[in-house]
């Protein structure tokens, strides 16, 4: 989908939505890696390499989240600031088909 | 994207996990997993798709006879 | 305490309604081997675990099971969204619809409401971890049955993901058991000194 001066508002909204979907999927993937390493480290607390991998994935997740939240609103009610009016209640909510 | 030979080497951990020493009667033991090479871990998108980042724990339904029991 | 993340652990986007599948999948919401049972079991057992590793793994897997509970709830919600009362009845959900409309309610595939009788929190770490190993196998087997029943890829994909998670959880509980066994072996610990040692 080409961005350009002839793109109407609907098309631009659709384009932004595809970016949102792609970014959220990337965050899901990195966060899943983090969960897997978390569980592994719980029973292997002395595995240095796994620990390093965990930390680097956490940093990547933070960076992706910052980008996502600046454009599409908070992922976390207790840890992100909000613009006015209160963004947290905005849909779609994760169980809805429109969420992704 | 790493290629298959590396994942096959990673799968060797599944066939040769760390041996269980000093086993006692009336005890159950699951072999310990060890990551010998962090490069074996799936990249994030593949990990999410497979349901695990560890190739040695990737046992899809239908592909592994032990985990395809249908009474 | 818990913090909620506004995303599913694995995406659920089911394009075609299927109330008949919803009737089966809801068993992993409120059934004997479902995610509610799993999370409640692990989060209850964690208090009486003897080692840091065991406390951590029960805590973290219990938390992940809550995320899986959410995935199952989302699947049931999407499979029945917009379905008419008549279609619900044809799919065998007439009784469910009577009491719950299109809501998600924790019960098994056979209609038994969730009960804590599905779980145990024995306080004996060896017994508890063995129960957890069994729970993960039962959940895996249930997901395989559901995969056999389903034919929509949108439904099968999240079920495959959840099944894969159970195998990894089994491995982790197995490792926690090894660590607890070693710990208990090295230190003789009695709550009450047994008679033969008086």
């Amino acid at each position: 989908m080409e961005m350009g001066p002839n793109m109407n508002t609907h098309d631009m909204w659709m384009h932004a939505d595809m970016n949102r979907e792609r970014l959220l999927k990337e965050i899901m993937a990195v966060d899943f890696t983090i969960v897997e390493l978390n569980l592994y480290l719980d029973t292997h607390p002395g595995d240095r390499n796994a620990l390093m991998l965990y930390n680097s994935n956490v940093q990547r997740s933070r960076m992706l989240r910052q980008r996502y939240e600046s454009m599409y609103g908070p992922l976390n009610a207790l840890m992100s600031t909000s613009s006015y009016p209160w963004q947290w209640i905005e849909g779609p909510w994760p169980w809805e088909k429109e969420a992704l | 994207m790493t290629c298959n030979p590396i994942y096959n080497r990673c799968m060797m951990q599944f066939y040769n996990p760390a041996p269980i020493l000093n086993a006692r009667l009336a005890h159950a033991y699951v072999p310990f997993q060890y990551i010998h090479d962090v490069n074996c871990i799936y990249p994030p998108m593949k990990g999410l798709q497979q349901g695990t980042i560890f190739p040695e724990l990737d046992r899809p339904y239908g592909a592994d006879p032990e985990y395809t029991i249908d009474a | 305490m818990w913090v909620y993340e506004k995303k599913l652990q694995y995406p659920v986007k089911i394009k075609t309604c299927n109330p008949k599948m919803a009737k089966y999948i809801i068993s992993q919401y409120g059934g004997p081997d479902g995610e509610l049972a799993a999370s409640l079991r692990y989060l209850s057992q964690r208090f009486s675990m003897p080692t840091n590793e065991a406390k951590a793994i029960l805590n973290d897997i219990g938390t992940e099971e809550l995320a899986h509970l959410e995935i199952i709830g989302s699947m049931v919600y999407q499979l029945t969204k917009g379905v008419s009362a008549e279609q619900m009845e044809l799919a065998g959900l007439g009784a469910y619809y009577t009491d719950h409309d299109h809501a998600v309610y924790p019960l098994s595939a056979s209609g038994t409401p969730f009960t804590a009788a599905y779980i145990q929190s024995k306080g004996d770490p060896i017994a508890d971890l063995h129960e957890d190993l069994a729970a993960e196998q039962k959940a895996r087997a249930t997901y395989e049955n559901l995969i056999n029943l389903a034919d929509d890829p949108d439904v099968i994909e999240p079920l495959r993901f959840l099944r894969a998670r159970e195998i990894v959880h089994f491995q982790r509980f197995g490792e926690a058991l090894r660590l607890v066994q070693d710990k208990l072996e090295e230190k003789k610990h009695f709550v009450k000194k047994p008679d033969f040692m008086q």
Side-chain angles (χ1 to χ4, degrees), chain A residues 54-92:
Chain A
Y54 171 86
N55 283 340
S56 66
N57 272 288
V58 165
Q59 282 175 317
R60 174 145 181 83
S61 176
R62 271 188 198 150
M63 186 208 69
L64 290 170
R65 273 154 186 281
Q66 230 173 354
R67 200 193 303 169
Y68 181 93
E69 291 186 324
S70 67
M71 291 193 283
Y72 306 113
L75 282 170
N76 226 301
L78 309 180
M79 311 220 276
S80 331
T81 53
S82 174
S83 58
Y84 181 87
W86 180 237
Q87 287 178 283
W88 175 249
I89 61 172
E90 281 166 22

Side-chain angles (χ1 to χ4, degrees), chain A residues 27-42:
Chain A
I27 296 174
M28 275 180 177
V30 174
D31 282 357
F32 177 71
T33 303
I34 290 171
V35 166
E36 275 280 76
L37 289 168
N38 174 359
L39 296 183
Y40 178 83
L41 285 162
D42 279 350

Side-chain angles (χ1 to χ4, degrees), chain C residues 131-148:
Chain C
E131 159 154 351
D132 302 341
L133 290 167
E136 293 297 342
Q137 291 293 350
K138 288 187 286 181
R140 175 194 56 79
T142 311
Y143 280 122
E144 289 174 3
N145 295 339
L146 288 172
I147 290 169
N148 288 337

Side-chain angles (χ1 to χ4, degrees), chain C residues 28-127:
Chain C
Q28 283 305 91
Y29 194 81
D33 309 318
E35 306 293 354
L36 181 58
S39 35
L40 198 56
R41 180 190 294 109
Y42 306 151
L43 294 172
S44 302
Q45 287 177 359
R46 66 189 163 132
F47 296 104
S48 48
M49 281 291 152
T51 67
N52 282 340
E53 291 88 351
K55 290 173 204 174
I57 208 68
L58 280 167
N59 192 79
D60 297 342
I61 293 184
T63 301
E64 194 187 340
E65 301 293 17
L66 287 172
H68 296 171
L69 182 68
E70 189 183 27
I71 292 176
I72 298 288
S74 304
M75 291 179 80
V76 172
Y77 168 74
Q78 291 187 14
L79 284 165
T80 54
K81 186 159 167 44
V83 171
S84 71
E86 191 187 359
Q87 285 172 298
M88 294 284 272
E89 199 186 2
L90 281 170
L93 283 173
Y96 184 91
Y97 172 79
T98 305
D99 286 329
H100 308 294
D101 201 308
H102 288 83
V104 177
Y105 183 84
L107 39 66
S108 72
S110 53
T112 316
F114 180 80
T115 165
Y118 291 153
I119 73 168
Q120 171 58 292
S121 185
K122 193 78 184 167
D124 178 306
I126 304 292

Side-chain angles (χ1 to χ4, degrees), chain A residues 21 24-25 27-28 31-32 35-36 38-40 42-45 65 74-79 87-98 100, chain C residues 1-17 53 56-57 60-61 64 70 74 77-78 81 161 165 168-169 172 175-176 179:
Chain A
E21 182 178 322
L24 192 59
K25 275 199 176 131
I27 296 174
M28 275 180 177
D31 282 357
F32 177 71
V35 166
E36 275 280 76
N38 174 359
L39 296 183
Y40 178 83
D42 279 350
T43 50
H44 302 77
R65 273 154 186 281
L75 282 170
N76 226 301
L78 309 180
M79 311 220 276
Q87 287 178 283
W88 175 249
I89 61 172
E90 281 166 22
W93 279 78
W95 53 86
E96 293 166 338
K97 297 186 204 197
E98 304 78 38
L100 212 58
Chain C
M1 66 159 279
W2 277 272
V3 174
Y4 179 75
E5 288 262 318
K6 210 172 186 184
K7 68 183 199 325
L8 295 181
Q9 190 186 39
Y10 188 90
V12 172
K13 190 166 182 156
I14 299 172
K15 299 185 276 292
T16 314
C17 293
E53 291 88 351
I57 208 68
D60 297 342
I61 293 184
E64 194 187 340
E70 189 183 27
S74 304
Y77 168 74
Q78 291 187 14
K81 186 159 167 44
F161 172 81
R165 297 311 299 144
V168 175
H169 290 172
R172 297 296 164 237
E175 289 163 353
L179 293 168

